[in-house]
Amino acid sequence: LDIRATARAIPLALAELFAPGIGVTGAMNGDVTLTGPAAQPSGRYNLNISNLTAPQISDAGLRPLGITAEGTLGNGRVNVDARLSGLANSNLQVTGSAPMGAGALDIGVNGRIDLGLMNARLSAAGQTFTGQAVADLRIRGTAAAPAASGTIRITGGRFQDAANGVTLTNIEALINGSERELVIASLTARARNGGQITGSGRIALDPAAGFPGQIAIKANNAQ
C-alpha cells in the first residue's frame, strides 16, 4: 500500500449502509496515510467528528458530541489519542491502543464528568443531580471480555427529588476497577435530616449479560 486519503464533511449516516438501524448522524473530517502490506498496514491518521449523535446519546438527554482523534497504525495495532467534547463541563481523554483484529485492549480513560449531564433525563421526573466524577481507568482484556483497573471518584454530589421529598447531599463514592468487575468500595451521603446513607457493591464487566451487579444500601436515621 501507498495511500493518502483526505475526507471532508463525510456524513456518518453512511454507516446505515453497513449497519442498518444504527441511527448515527454527524460529519467526519480527516486525513489517513497507509503504507506496507494490506494485511498489516502502517500509517498515521487524524480525525475530527462533529455533531455526533445516535439514539443512545439522544435517549440519555445529551447534546451532539465532538471527537478529535489522532494516532498511528502498525504491528497489527491502532494507537489512539482522542478527546471528547460537548459534555458541558466534562473533559474526557482516551489514550492507548487496540488490535486491528484479535488481541488485547490497552486503553486509558481519564478526565472529569459533570454529573449534571444526567439532568436532561432526570428532569422529566422532577429530579436533579449535581457533582462530578473523576475517572482514571485502564481497560485491558478484549472487547467481549474487558478487564478494568484504576478508579472512578465521585465528589460533591447532590440528588433531589422534590416531588417525593427526597434530598441527598455530600454524596461521595469510590469505585475501583478489579479485573472483570467494578467494585463500589465506598458510598456515603447525607439525608436532609442529617441521617447517613452508606452503600457498597459490584458491577460485572460482562456486556453480553447487560453488566449485572449487586448493590447494598444501608440507612441510619435517614429521612
Side-chain angles (χ1 to χ4, degrees):
L1 301 175
D2 186 9
I3 296 173
R4 291 167 178 79
T6 299
R8 294 292 179 263
I10 304 299
L12 297 182
L14 288 174
E16 291 286 333
L17 297 175
F18 309 98
I22 192 172
V24 173
T25 62
M28 180 182 70
N29 296 280
D31 299 280
V32 180
T33 301
L34 295 176
T35 60
Q40 198 172 55
S42 300
R44 299 189 65 84
Y45 68 90
N46 65 76
L47 301 174
N48 189 316
I49 297 174
S50 59
N51 295 316
L52 170 66
T53 191
Q56 297 90 337
I57 296 174
S58 299
D59 291 346
L62 300 178
R63 298 179 300 173
L65 305 176
I67 299 174
T68 59
E70 61 182 11
T72 61
L73 299 85
N75 299 318
R77 298 187 68 82
V78 178
N79 297 294
V80 63
D81 181 352
R83 288 171 172 78
L84 186 65
S85 60
L87 295 177
N89 296 319
S90 303
N91 182 15
L92 279 179
Q93 182 177 14
V94 177
T95 57
S97 66
M100 289 188 288
L105 300 169
D106 186 10
I107 301 291
V109 180
N110 303 89
R112 182 170 59 87
I113 303 169
D114 182 355
L115 298 178
L117 292 170
M118 299 164 52
N119 290 336
R121 190 166 188 173
L122 293 174
S123 61
Q127 301 169 343
T128 59
F129 200 176
T130 59
Q132 70 172 10
V134 176
D136 183 10
L137 291 173
R138 200 79 193 174
I139 309 298
R140 294 186 171 88
T142 66
S149 60
T151 62
I152 300 173
R153 189 179 297 274
I154 296 173
T155 59
R158 177 184 174 90
F159 173 78
Q160 187 165 20
D161 182 347
N164 292 297
V166 176
T167 299
L168 299 177
T169 60
N170 298 343
I171 300 173
E172 308 279 336
L174 176 62
I175 303 169
N176 294 324
S178 179
E179 293 299 325
R180 294 302 313 282
E181 61 185 13
L182 293 176
V183 177
I184 303 174
S186 65
L187 170 63
T188 61
R190 287 287 180 184
R192 63 180 186 176
N193 68 327
Q196 187 177 49
I197 291 175
T198 59
S200 61
R202 55 191 67 238
I203 301 168
L205 293 177
D206 187 349
F211 300 99
Q214 294 179 322
I215 299 175
I217 300 293
K218 180 185 293 185
N220 181 19
N221 190 36
Q223 182 178 12

